[in-house]
Amino acid sequence: MSLEKANEENMKLLLHELAERLNVVNRSIMDPEDYDLNKYEDLKFMYDMVVQKGQLSASETQAFIQELATIRK
């Protein structure tokens, strides 16, 4: 599956994978309904960074979660 195309299904998958990789406890902040599809590129960029980085420190994880909060609707 290619994540290059901005659509609802891919955005849902990105958010789910980010939640898993960031060990998000409160999954309500990762609800696809709360994100605008025109922010897909931002989400994809964050996803790619998390995947490339692999293991994140606690401060890095917190920074990613804060960044997610800034792109929510």
Side-chain angles (χ1 to χ4, degrees), residues 1 8 12 16-19 23 30 33 36-37 42 45 47-50 57-58 62-63 66 70:
M1 170 183 273
E8 296 292 329
K12 184 177 178 180
H16 174 75
E17 287 296 318
L18 279 170
N23 295 317
M30 304 301 279
E33 298 291 322
D36 195 351
L37 193 56
D42 295 336
F45 178 75
Y47 172 80
D48 289 341
M49 286 182 62
V50 169
S57 69
Q62 185 62 33
Q66 287 175 343
T70 65

Side-chain angles (χ1 to χ4, degrees), residues 37-48:
L37 193 56
N38 66 7
K39 296 287 188 174
Y40 182 82
E41 292 300 319
D42 295 336
L43 286 171
K44 176 71 167 75
F45 178 75
M46 290 179 63
Y47 172 80
D48 289 341

Side-chain angles (χ1 to χ4, degrees), residues 55-71:
Q55 186 70 21
L56 299 175
S57 69
S59 61
E60 288 172 325
T61 299
Q62 185 62 33
F64 273 104
I65 292 171
Q66 287 175 343
E67 187 62 28
L68 280 170
T70 65
I71 62 174

Side-chain angles (χ1 to χ4, degrees), residues 23-30:
N23 295 317
V24 174
V25 176
N26 181 4
R27 296 294 174 109
S28 67
I29 66 169
M30 304 301 279

Side-chain angles (χ1 to χ4, degrees), residues 5-23:
K5 184 178 270 192
N7 60 44
E8 296 292 329
E9 183 179 337
N10 284 349
M11 186 164 62
K12 184 177 178 180
L13 182 62
L14 282 180
L15 288 168
H16 174 75
E17 287 296 318
L18 279 170
E20 289 292 318
R21 291 176 182 269
L22 297 174
N23 295 317

